[in-house]
């Protein structure tokens, strides 16, 4: 297959392809949510779709169906979303779809997800080619796998008007010969779904958490005890899915920080995942400070307590935000967010 580029670099490496996995394990639980498996096929690969998240791309469609959403800054302070769906049939209409970035590829690879995007940075393209990764790229497949919304285009820029669906993704799978069954790492170290939820009894109260990705992009997460979920807002308003007219909500919320710099092109952001970093795990209106490790692009995300012991993440939908170390000073919550350095101090709960 041919991989085309858009933005952030202009050198095209030789495209490579290969089969992804030939020996497929049967999973005992859902590797994307930690929940009990539903349906008969427990070997199916998840699907990861890159979604536009600029102010001018709102509202988006179909992202409320995602089992995990990753958010990171790409260029110019703008963030992008990678919406991960456990099964292709979990998707309705989703978009607007945008281009791949290597920081998202690094979280996608251990999930062995079917990667759906339109265009790619040179850095993401290099990484996909290095791993011989077959993907569904709209710059190659065009309208066979993506739909241009002519009505939306009357009031939106054209790059905010491309969408996809299960039928269109299946067209891309058929055209590229992608194997839909394959092995993957669990997205997180999930607690056993057969047991009671893990409560953060030693954690600290935080029912509203705000932080910034950049001067351009901000996020607030509000915990609702009635639903035991975190509801996401951005740009000062609820983050909505227009397909369902509903606000995005999550069972788990992980806020991770790491070093973020610019690539030599001076535009695309480069994330340092090799050293890991610090962060916070939010569940049930409480949080605990954490450490995290990622390492090489194909390695899974590992989350531990401050002593290095892996922690269990509760089953359900998750939102994972990765911000620059410099942005940690923008984090606010109901009660000061505890840092790794002062983790031994007692912090009172604030309601």
């Amino acid at each position: 297959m041919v991989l085309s580029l858009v933005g952030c670099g202009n050198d095209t490496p030789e495209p490579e392809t290969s089969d992804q996995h030939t020996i497929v394990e049967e999973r005992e639980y859902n590797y994307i949510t930690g929940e009990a498996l539903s349906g008969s096929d427990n070997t199916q690969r998840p699907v990861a779709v890159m979604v536009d998240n600029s102010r001018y791309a709102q509202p988006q469609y179909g992202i409320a169906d995602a089992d995990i959403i990753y958010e990171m800054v790409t260029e110019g302070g703008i963030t992008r979303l990678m919406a991960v769906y456990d099964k292709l049939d979990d998707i309705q209409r989703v978009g607007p779809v945008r281009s791949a970035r290597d920081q998202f590829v690094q979280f996608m690879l251990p999930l062995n997800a079917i990667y759906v995007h339109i265009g790619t940075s040179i850095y993401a393209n290099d990484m996909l080619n290095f791993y011989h990764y077959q993907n569904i790229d709209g710059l190659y497949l065009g309208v066979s796998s993506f739909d241009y919304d002519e009505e939306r285009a009357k009031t939106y820029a054209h790059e905010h008007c491309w969408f996809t669906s299960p039928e269109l993704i299946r067209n891309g799978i058929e055209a590229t010969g992608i194997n839909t069954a394959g092995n993957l790492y669990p997205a997180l170290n999930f607690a056993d779904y057969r047991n009671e939820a893990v409560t953060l009894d030693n954690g600290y109260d935080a029912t509203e958490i705000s932080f910034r990705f950049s001067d351009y992009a901000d996020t607030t997460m509000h915990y609702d005890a009635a639903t035991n979920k975190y509801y996401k807002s951005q740009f000062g308003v609820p983050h909505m899915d227009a397909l369902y007219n509903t606000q995005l909500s999550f069972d788990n919320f992980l806020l991770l920080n790491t070093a973020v710099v610019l690539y030599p092109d001076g535009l695309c952001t480069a994330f340092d995942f090799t050293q890991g970093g610090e962060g916070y795990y939010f569940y049930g209106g409480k949080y605990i400070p954490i450490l995290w490790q990622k390492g090489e692009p194909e390695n899974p995300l590992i989350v531990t307590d401050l002593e290095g012991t892996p922690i269990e993440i509760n089953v359900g939908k998750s939102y994972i935000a990765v911000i620059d170390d410099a942005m940690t000073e923008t984090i606010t919550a109901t009660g000061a967010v505890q840092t790794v350095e002062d983790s031994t101090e007692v912090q009172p709960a604030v309601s």
Side-chain angles (χ1 to χ4, degrees):
M1 65 185 280
V2 176
L3 297 176
S4 302
L5 307 180
V6 61
C8 295
N10 54 16
D11 297 323
T12 307
E14 280 298 312
E16 301 179 77
T17 61
S18 71
D19 292 333
Q20 240 113 1
H21 288 289
T22 55
I23 300 174
V24 180
E25 66 180 8
E26 291 190 359
R27 296 180 278 278
E28 297 180 354
Y29 63 94
N30 185 319
Y31 277 13
I32 306 302
T33 66
E35 297 168 318
L37 288 169
S38 60
S40 58
D41 186 359
N42 61 356
T43 64
Q44 190 176 111
R45 295 168 60 194
V47 178
V49 183
M50 295 301 303
V51 178
D52 195 343
N53 198 43
S54 77
R55 293 173 186 261
Y56 304 105
Q58 311 300 316
Q60 299 137 324
Y61 291 75
I63 54 177
D65 290 322
D67 294 303
I68 298 180
I69 289 181
Y70 298 84
E71 183 171 6
M72 288 173 274
V73 71
T74 53
E75 58 272 337
I78 296 173
T79 66
R80 196 152 293 171
L81 308 179
M82 183 171 73
V84 179
Y85 306 81
D86 176 58
K87 289 184 174 62
L88 178 57
D89 288 338
D90 293 340
I91 299 174
Q92 300 296 320
R93 179 178 187 248
V94 61
V97 182
R98 286 302 301 270
S99 55
R101 294 291 182 269
D102 63 289
Q103 58 264 46
F104 294 97
V105 172
Q106 295 185 64
F107 279 96
M108 180 276 299
L109 285 172
L111 304 182
N112 193 22
I114 297 169
Y115 195 37
V116 181
H117 57 95
I118 299 177
T120 171
S121 71
I122 185 66
Y123 312 105
N125 191 71
D126 285 348
M127 190 171 291
L128 290 167
N129 280 343
F130 178 83
Y131 286 96
H132 300 181
Y133 209 89
Q134 292 177 292
N135 52 331
I136 296 176
D137 185 349
L139 286 189
Y140 172 65
L141 295 169
V143 294
S144 67
S145 293
F146 299 87
D147 174 61
Y148 187 68
D149 189 330
E150 297 282 359
E151 186 62 29
R152 182 176 166 104
K154 293 177 180 178
T155 53
Y156 285 78
H158 72 90
E159 65 267 25
H160 306 314
C161 297
W162 288 95
F163 294 81
T164 193
S165 66
E167 295 74 20
L168 291 169
I169 293 173
R170 287 191 181 93
N171 290 344
I173 290 171
E174 182 177 357
T176 55
I178 290 175
N179 189 349
T180 59
N183 296 328
L184 57 146
Y185 287 105
L188 295 160
N189 179 38
F190 290 110
D192 192 326
Y193 67 87
R194 294 164 294 190
N195 298 333
E196 294 293 326
V198 177
T199 56
L200 305 183
D201 294 333
N202 296 323
Y204 304 92
D205 288 351
T207 56
E208 186 162 300
I209 308 96
S210 297
F211 60 95
R212 301 194 71 89
F213 289 93
S214 66
D215 292 339
Y216 177 90
D218 62 83
T219 290
T220 298
M221 304 294 286
H222 176 77
Y223 174 71
D224 183 355
T227 60
N228 195 31
K229 293 183 182 295
Y230 290 88
Y231 290 80
K232 185 176 187 291
S233 296
Q234 62 178 7
F235 309 129
V237 296
H239 193 169
M240 302 295 291
D241 183 332
L243 187 63
Y244 303 104
N245 192 31
T246 187
Q247 187 175 2
L248 298 190
S249 63
F250 306 90
D251 302 284
N252 302 298
F253 162 37
L254 287 98
L255 178 57
L256 313 178
N257 58 276
T258 192
V260 181
V261 298
L262 292 179
Y263 276 113
D265 65 5
L267 181 62
C268 284
T269 47
F271 283 66
D272 182 5
F273 296 144
T274 59
Q275 301 300 316
E278 304 169 1
Y280 306 96
Y281 170 45
F282 298 85
Y283 177 81
K286 290 182 176 291
Y287 74 90
I288 57 173
I290 59 173
L291 301 175
W292 63 273
Q293 301 173 20
K294 178 70 172 65
E296 296 301 318
E298 70 271 21
N299 292 344
L301 175 65
I302 304 297
V303 179
T304 73
D305 62 20
L306 300 184
E307 285 70 47
T309 302
I311 66 172
E312 293 184 330
I313 304 299
N314 282 297
V315 303
K317 294 190 176 187
S318 300
Y319 169 62
I320 300 177
V322 186
I323 64 173
D324 187 359
D325 288 334
M327 289 290 107
T328 57
E329 64 185 20
T330 69
I331 303 171
T332 63
T334 52
V337 171
Q338 182 189 36
T339 65
V340 172
E341 287 76 12
D342 64 18
S343 61
T344 58
E345 299 177 5
V346 176
Q347 179 179 343
V350 179
S351 59

